Amino acid sequence: MKTKQYRGIPDEAFFRGKVPMTKEEVRGISINKLRLRGGETLLDIGAGSGSLSVEMAIAVGKQGGVHAVEINPEGVQLIHKNRDKFAVDNLQVRQGKAPEALKDLPLMDGVVIGGTKGAMKEIFQVLREKLRPEGRLVINVLTLENLSLAQEMLKIHEYKDIEIIQVAINKGHDVGNLTMMKAENSIYILSATKKGESR
């Protein structure tokens, strides 16, 4: 039996395994930063368990579509399972490493980079062709080194409307009859718009 589609899916509803998963609050912000209107074609690079890919597919609706790229075989399996659970027929899954796995994909309206395996520079080169002018780019990074590299790449490739936010989430956990806040990993979310074609 397939689960009804809805937005704001709790983390516990996804198949997770041992593959990294974009947490609920970060998914919400990332999708918001894509500035979706519905019907877009999107790309999720380093899709992990597919939680973000699934919610992106729901957000763009049947007229749009999402391509999820993941190198980890377990991750690819989980994306398939989560796609089937939430009945998102507009989500395509591809196993491979970016940028090689992006070569024959269509032009995208928006891209989320969640993992690069050290190939961020090369991915930006491919996005020169794969992300349409005025398309939106969202990058989620955990380390200061990748934050610095992402900033550098956005400037080199002349993206505009660059925004950087730091998200630090603390969730309440029961400790006996008390509640203690437990911190999640802090994450940096960069968003920008690709420069339009010259007139």
Side-chain angles (χ1 to χ4, degrees), residues 47-66:
S49 62
S51 62
L52 179 56
S53 300
V54 166
E55 293 217 56
M56 286 163 61
I58 293 170
V60 299
K62 295 294 184 182
Q63 301 304 312
V66 175

Side-chain angles (χ1 to χ4, degrees), residues 158-177:
E158 299 183 316
Y159 280 74
K160 60 183 182 178
D161 306 323
I162 299 172
E163 180 184 40
I164 305 166
I165 62 172
Q166 182 180 16
V167 180
I169 298 165
N170 299 280
K171 291 190 174 183
H173 292 265
D174 292 336
V175 181
N177 62 345

Side-chain angles (χ1 to χ4, degrees), residues 38-111:
E40 292 89 351
T41 300
L42 305 177
L43 173 61
D44 187 5
I45 300 173
S49 62
S51 62
L52 179 56
S53 300
V54 166
E55 293 217 56
M56 286 163 61
I58 293 170
V60 299
K62 295 294 184 182
Q63 301 304 312
V66 175
H67 296 266
V69 174
E70 172 58 41
I71 192 171
N72 186 331
E74 183 187 356
V76 172
Q77 276 191 333
L78 287 168
I79 299 169
H80 280 287
K81 289 178 70 174
N82 285 316
R83 178 186 66 182
D84 293 344
K85 178 176 182 179
F86 293 97
V88 281
D89 299 330
N90 58 341
L91 172 56
Q92 304 298 317
V93 187
R94 174 173 299 200
Q95 182 175 349
K97 181 181 177 182
E100 294 80 11
L102 313 180
K103 295 293 174 65
D104 59 344
L105 290 176
L107 189 66
M108 300 293 167
D109 300 301
V111 175

